[in-house]
Amino acid sequence: MANFNLTFGSTFIFLLLPLLLQFPSGKSDLQLNYYSKSCPRAEEIIKEQVIKLYHKHGNTAVSWIRNLFHDCIVKSCDASLLLETTNGIKSEQTSSRSFGMRNFKYVNTIKDALERECPMTVSCADIVALSAREGAVMLGGPHIELKTGRRDSKESYVAEVENSIPNHNDSMSLVLSTFQSIGIDTEGTVALLGAHSVGRVHCTNIVQRLYPTVDPSLDPNYAEYLKGRCPSPYPDPNAVEYARNDRETPMVLDNMYYKNILGHKGLLLVDQQLVSDPSTYPFVVKMAADNGYFHDQFSRAVVILSENNPLTGEQGEIRKDCRFINKK
Ligand code: HEM
Ligand SMILES: *[C@@H]1O[C@H](CO)[C@@H](O)[C@H](O)[C@H]1NC(C)=O
């Protein structure tokens, strides 16, 4: 009888196994250490390159974090952001939402190092995810465990960028519902905006809060400082004038951002709205008080963001050059 049960049990599993394996779920196809057999040093190589680039240009680390957001929230975490304009492709980088993005050319520095060791194996989408992870570490942020196995898109979604990425002055309810649509809750959204603890904002995204009258939600002394950084109400969009996101620790991914916005020293309207919106305010207070809590929530939200709707299996391709789809 026991024997019968055993046989029955294993037959049952035997029948179920193909079903389980075929179950279509993009998310579960990503796995920890996806390249452990095909390119065992992949994650190490990305880390080495990110460190090297950071020591040459510290702000590359900042760019890797912004890239993750702009790539993953538009349709999928699929490196569509990295495609350059060519015949038949209009780059997502040309959208006004991509304003100020920089350091794209160094993505290929990372990709070239991978191609030398394991040609056509590691996707540009995984480079986007893992470079953001290592960038966060270089900026004093948490180390985030991320799955891999994403594949690269064969198209750009430039027309969807403006619907997917909020504008600097959009309402908090729109921002929250955008993140909600990819499974990131209010707490996670508040944490992700903490990325604005690093980097810069150009004057064209700030002057609406300074001229003709100063936004009353800005600290008056801080507004004076910003006017000094941005003396013209009509900055040339190509001008390089900018302000640091965080004057105290501009290159550290820490909770100073939340202290700043509580002190009415946020740069973007969306930053300041985290304080004025009653649904986000309590999380701002908690994150301002506890850097570890901010890092935990930031990590949790980055994982969800990085797993948004990935291409896996036979979908998409592994690009040879992150800027272009492969030639047939
Ligand atoms: C409502 C959501 C968001 C809006 C409206 C927004 C908007 C902006 C704007 C307008 C800039 C300045 C661009 C410039 O003038 O050069 C900026 C910079 C930046 N954003 Fe966001 N952002 C949002 C969310 C995020 C998220 C979720 C991340 C990452 C997790 C992120 C990472 C960054 C970084 C790192 C910079 C600095 C870039 C640099 O210095 O090169 N942002 N963002
Ligand atoms: C938001 O800013 C853009 C310019 O970046 C401007 O065209 C638009 O009118 C602003 N929207 C609101 C609601 O203020």
Side-chain angles (χ1 to χ4, degrees):
M1 197 63 199
N3 197 7
F4 170 81
N5 270 343
L6 196 73
T7 315
F8 179 76
S10 38
T11 310
F12 187 66
I13 288 182
F14 182 73
L15 288 173
L16 212 68
L17 204 62
L19 265 177
L20 285 173
L21 289 177
Q22 273 177 20
F23 197 76
S25 158
K27 271 186 187 171
S28 66
D29 286 337
L30 297 180
Q31 54 190 73
L32 290 174
N33 256 308
Y34 178 83
Y35 299 107
S36 59
K37 293 214 169 62
S38 59
C39 187
R41 284 207 348 106
E43 300 203 11
E44 198 54 37
I45 291 170
I46 294 172
K47 182 176 166 183
E48 285 166 9
Q49 292 298 318
V50 167
I51 293 174
K52 230 172 160 176
L53 288 166
Y54 171 83
H55 289 302
K56 257 194 224 152
H57 312 280
N59 51 40
T60 50
V62 171
S63 298
W64 307 149
I65 297 175
R66 194 176 183 205
N67 283 358
L68 179 80
F69 168 50
H70 281 242
D71 186 39
C72 295
I73 201 159
V74 179
K75 192 107 177 173
S76 150
C77 239
D78 58 3
S80 58
L81 169 71
L82 301 179
L83 290 173
E84 291 189 355
T85 299
T86 50
N87 289 342
I89 295 229
K90 187 171 180 225
S91 177
E92 292 175 18
Q93 296 167 25
T94 63
S95 166
S96 64
R97 293 290 196 278
S98 309
F99 180 79
M101 295 188 88
R102 46 181 165 166
N103 292 318
F104 285 117
K105 64 180 175 190
Y106 296 116
V107 176
N108 260 15
T109 307
I110 304 175
K111 177 63 164 164
D112 289 346
L114 290 162
E115 288 298 298
R116 282 195 295 273
E117 180 137 331
C118 339
M120 302 295 286
T121 306
V122 181
S123 69
C124 297
D126 280 335
I127 295 175
V128 169
L130 295 179
S131 63
R133 187 258 295 281
E134 303 304 338
V137 171
M138 294 316 289
L139 299 169
H143 181 275
I144 310 169
E145 186 135 67
L146 290 182
K147 293 181 180 171
T148 39
R150 299 166 188 80
R151 290 171 61 90
D152 300 325
S153 78
K154 294 186 194 174
E155 50 193 314
S156 156
Y157 303 103
V158 65
E160 307 200 19
V161 173
E162 292 203 5
N163 297 324
S164 309
I165 301 179
N167 209 349
H168 60 94
N169 52 6
D170 276 337
S171 71
M172 193 42 60
S173 63
L174 187 116
V175 170
L176 291 175
S177 67
T178 303
F179 283 93
Q180 191 75 64
S181 72
I182 63 160
I184 298 177
D185 58 15
T186 301
E187 195 173 18
T189 304
V190 174
L192 278 180
L193 273 157
H196 289 170
S197 171
V198 293
R200 63 178 180 180
V201 174
H202 287 82
C203 292
T204 170
N205 287 319
I206 305 173
V207 286
Q208 299 89 338
R209 302 187 68 204
L210 302 174
Y211 307 103
T213 49
V214 170
D215 179 338
S217 70
L218 266 180
D219 170 273
N221 291 327
Y222 191 61
E224 280 312 305
Y225 161 77
L226 289 178
K227 280 181 163 178
R229 298 289 308 175
C230 303
S232 163
Y234 307 106
D236 174 353
N238 298 315
V240 292
E241 289 162 319
Y242 65 88
R244 293 278 202 175
N245 266 319
D246 169 353
R247 279 165 80 189
E248 280 78 21
T249 54
M251 292 298 281
V252 185
L253 188 60
D254 61 4
N255 65 343
M256 192 64 77
Y257 169 79
Y258 302 97
K259 297 179 189 171
N260 285 336
I261 57 179
L262 284 174
H264 300 278
K265 294 173 187 163
L267 284 185
L268 304 175
L269 206 55
V270 284
D271 297 325
Q272 204 55 60
Q273 282 176 6
L274 289 179
V275 170
S276 50
D277 190 303
S279 70
T280 50
Y281 175 75
F283 297 120
V284 172
V285 172
K286 245 176 114 176
M287 288 179 202
D290 186 344
N291 197 47
Y293 165 70
F294 159 55
H295 281 176
D296 289 348
Q297 289 301 318
F298 184 80
S299 305
R300 184 179 67 86
V302 161
V303 169
I304 302 171
L305 183 59
S306 79
E307 293 180 10
N308 180 34
N309 198 26
L311 301 174
T312 55
E314 297 297 301
Q315 297 170 314
E317 64 179 11
I318 305 292
R319 268 180 230 152
K320 181 167 178 51
D321 180 325
C322 293
R323 299 169 300 172
F324 311 109
I325 59 175
N326 294 336
K327 292 189 188 77
K328 293 198 184 70

